[in-house]
Structures are given as C-alpha cells and as structure tokens.
Amino acid sequence: MKLFHSINDFQSTKKTILTLGTFDGVHIGHKKILERITQNTENGKYESLVLTFFPHPRMVLQEKSEIKLLNTITEKSKLLEATGIENLIIHPFNESFSRLTAEEFVHSILVDQFHIQKIIIGHDHRFGRNRTANIDDLIAFGHEYGFEVEQISAQEIQDVSVSSTKIRIALSEGNMSLANDYLGYHYFLSGEVVQGKQLGRTIGFPTANIEINDEYKLIPKAGVYVVKVLIDQKEVSGMMNIGFNPTVDGQKQTIEVNLFDFDADIYGKKIQVSLLQYLREEQKFGSVDLLKEQLHLDRKNALAFLNKI
C-alpha cells in the first residue's frame, strides 16, 4: 500500500475507485465498503484509493470536542493495508479544507486530482461545507462529471447500524464482546513497555507498564481485562489492569499487563495488547494481601475464559 500525507501528493496514470471518511476503528461496516472497493479493482484496470483525514474533523470543527479515537494513525494505516487497499491518503483536516463547497470538492479533488471512475460510500455519507451535500447530490455530480456512485445500504452493513460512536460507548462501559463484534477484531492498545513502581513483582504478579504516546487514543473503562499480547510477533496470554492502583494510593492512571508463563526482559519494546474480556472493576482493597488474593482469583478467571475460546 502506498501512503500519502496530502491529496496533492497523489498521482496515478489510472482512474481510481475510491471511498472517503474518517474510518476510525476500521470496523465491520467500513470493511463492507473496502471489500467492494478491492473487488472493483481486481482486474488491474483501476486503482483503489481511500481518503481519510487527521485531525478528526470534530477536533477541528467543534471547539470543545474531547473525542477519543479507536485507532492511532499507525494502527489505522495497518488495518487499512490489511484490506488490500492500494493507496491511502491521510490528508490534514483544517478549517480551510472544511470550507470547500461540495462542487469544489468534487471538481478539484475527485475529478481533477483523483481521476475518479467510481465512488463507493456508506448509507449516511454527507460532504461539502457544513456537510450539506448528500447521496443525491453526489449522484447528480456523477452524471455531470462522468463517474459512478455506489451506495452501501445500512441493511447490507448490518441489521444494527455499526458506528465508531457505538464502539466508543461499548468500550467506555467495558462491553468488550459488543465492541469486538462491531470491530471484527479485538480492540487493541499499542505502546512501549516502561519502568513502573515494580510493586507487582514483590507480590508475585510482575507487570509490564505500557506507555501510550498518542493522546487521542481511547483508553477503555478502568478495570481488569483478559488480554493477548503481541511481543516480537509472538502471542502471550495475560491479564491487564487499567486504573489508578487505589490500594497503594496511586496518583495517575496506569496500564499494566501481567503476562502468563513469560519471563523475558521487555523494557523498551513496543507491544500490542488485544482486549478479549472485561473481568471486573478496579477496587481498593484493605491490604496488599487482599489485593494479592484477588489477583490469584483474576488469574484463575482469566485462564478459565482463555480455555473456552
């Protein structure tokens, strides 16, 4: 997959079949559209293209938006590449871009820059200044400029409409089964293993502290999770705590993973943690011994879950 950081950087000798949107999560609804794009370009006559944006438009257009994203730019790029898309443009979204009228966007970008043959979009797509243009407008532009418009219906995506917003809500509630069903994969966190207070080591539950540098990445509900961790392309099972370690008066949120049957030094390594199941909420225990007792129970419950899948 070729990656471009501006619309102006893209060049092709072929016509394109494309889609556009934020694609946060690259969930099962998005994949219906992306599959249709790759099916349309299998014969090599056209090139597949995805146009997405960063920052997220709501970060730019809504002054007090505190939206958190399901994917970092790197994560999103990898997920999109896995679908077989040939070209990805991550265009900087700013106020100037948001002021383009629908016709300016279609004429100067879709037609002149992308040499569009066909656009495939979701059932609820809106575009142009203030998002005033809809599917009917796009079809009219297609007739005027000679490109096809294909719409994916809500029913085709799923009986229950999948949206990134619904996934964010599920994650904030610790509803991993729903979030993961909508995503089509296990929600994951990517980060570097950094030095922690090493309390876990003293009570028989050493943990890898994960530092996530992307401030926009959505961290799910605090509590204990069953996880699978990718380290140097090897998968290790474990359990993870997101929270403030109230039993030892922790002051800031940490993400700590206890790896099962694993003993290597992984400080400084980049790892990927997939969240399989939410076990329980974070609690404050009366003593470290009571915390240790609960951790043994958590491990037992995590292993029971892992043995079922």
Side-chain angles (χ1 to χ4, degrees):
M1 184 183 75
K2 295 176 186 173
L3 175 61
F4 305 90
H5 293 284
S6 168
I7 286 166
N8 299 324
D9 293 341
F10 176 78
Q11 291 182 329
S12 176
T13 55
K14 296 180 182 178
K15 287 198 166 190
T16 61
I17 294 181
L18 64 92
T19 189
L20 66 151
T22 54
F23 291 97
D24 190 30
V26 194
H27 56 60
I28 58 173
H30 294 142
K31 284 174 186 165
K32 284 282 185 184
I33 299 171
L34 297 165
E35 283 168 13
R36 198 67 62 86
I37 295 276
T38 54
Q39 286 165 3
N40 273 258
T41 53
E42 281 175 349
N43 61 11
K45 188 177 178 182
Y46 307 113
E47 277 199 75
S48 55
L49 169 64
V50 170
L51 171 62
T52 189
F53 308 98
F54 190 82
H56 191 289
R58 275 166 60 181
M59 294 176 184
V60 175
L61 301 176
Q62 297 177 13
E63 196 173 317
K64 295 183 179 179
S65 174
E66 295 180 358
I67 186 172
K68 295 293 184 180
L69 303 180
L70 301 172
N71 305 133
T72 66
I73 287 294
T74 302
E75 291 168 356
K76 184 194 291 190
S77 299
K78 286 180 179 177
L79 289 165
L80 286 168
E81 184 171 20
T83 67
I85 292 294
E86 296 167 282
N87 299 284
L88 171 62
I89 302 173
I90 303 173
H91 189 76
F93 191 90
N94 52 34
E95 287 193 20
S96 173
F97 186 84
S98 75
R99 287 196 291 269
L100 283 176
T101 65
E103 178 143 25
E104 287 169 338
F105 176 75
V106 169
H107 185 266
S108 65
I109 295 174
L110 298 188
V111 177
D112 289 351
Q113 188 68 30
F114 295 163
H115 308 299
I116 180 175
Q117 170 68 24
K118 187 177 192 177
I119 184 168
I120 302 176
I121 56 169
H123 67 283
D124 55 355
H125 186 77
R126 302 188 73 85
F127 67 104
R129 187 185 297 168
N130 299 324
R131 300 182 77 240
T132 50
N134 60 24
I135 183 68
D136 295 327
D137 299 301
L138 193 55
I139 290 168
F141 285 129
H143 290 315
E144 183 178 351
Y145 291 108
F147 62 84
E148 298 174 57
V149 178
E150 183 177 336
Q151 184 184 23
I152 309 290
S153 69
Q155 290 75 23
E156 197 170 352
I157 289 174
Q158 202 185 37
D159 288 337
V160 178
S161 181
V162 175
S163 74
S164 300
T165 301
K166 288 179 180 177
I167 296 168
R168 291 187 195 106
I169 292 168
L171 291 170
S172 72
E173 295 172 346
N175 190 343
M176 294 313 305
S177 58
L178 181 62
N180 291 339
D181 280 350
Y182 278 168
L183 286 167
Y185 59 88
H186 293 118
Y187 187 71
F188 62 91
L189 305 171
S190 308
E192 182 180 338
V193 179
V194 297
Q195 198 88 25
K197 292 183 178 179
Q198 299 189 320
L199 170 69
R201 191 175 300 277
T202 67
I203 60 173
F205 288 89
T207 58
N209 277 46
I210 316 303
E211 186 175 83
I212 295 172
N213 292 321
D214 194 311
E215 62 182 302
Y216 300 119
K217 175 73 176 182
L218 187 151
I219 308 301
K221 181 181 180 179
V224 179
Y225 292 81
V226 185
V227 298
K228 293 263 191 181
V229 184
L230 198 61
I231 307 168
D232 294 332
Q233 303 306 309
K234 293 180 181 176
E235 195 173 65
V236 183
S237 298
M239 59 186 187
M240 175 179 71
N241 184 76
I242 298 174
F244 291 83
N245 299 306
T247 304
V248 292
D249 299 321
Q251 298 301 307
K252 69 171 195 172
Q253 187 182 65
T254 58
I255 301 171
E256 301 173 85
V257 181
N258 172 242
L259 298 163
F260 300 158
D261 304 317
F262 185 84
D263 196 15
D265 181 356
I266 55 172
Y267 284 123
K269 286 191 180 290
K270 296 280 178 65
I271 67 173
Q272 180 175 301
V273 184
S274 296
L275 285 65
L276 278 61
Q277 176 75 4
Y278 187 80
L279 285 180
R280 65 171 175 86
E281 296 195 358
E282 187 175 46
Q283 297 168 245
K284 181 170 183 174
F285 296 93
S287 69
V288 172
D289 282 342
L290 288 172
L291 168 61
K292 187 176 176 180
E293 198 176 298
Q294 179 62 52
L295 290 173
H296 278 290
L297 182 58
D298 292 339
R299 179 186 168 95
K300 181 181 176 182
N301 290 335
L303 288 169
F305 177 83
L306 289 163
N307 286 334
K308 285 191 299 184
I309 60 173

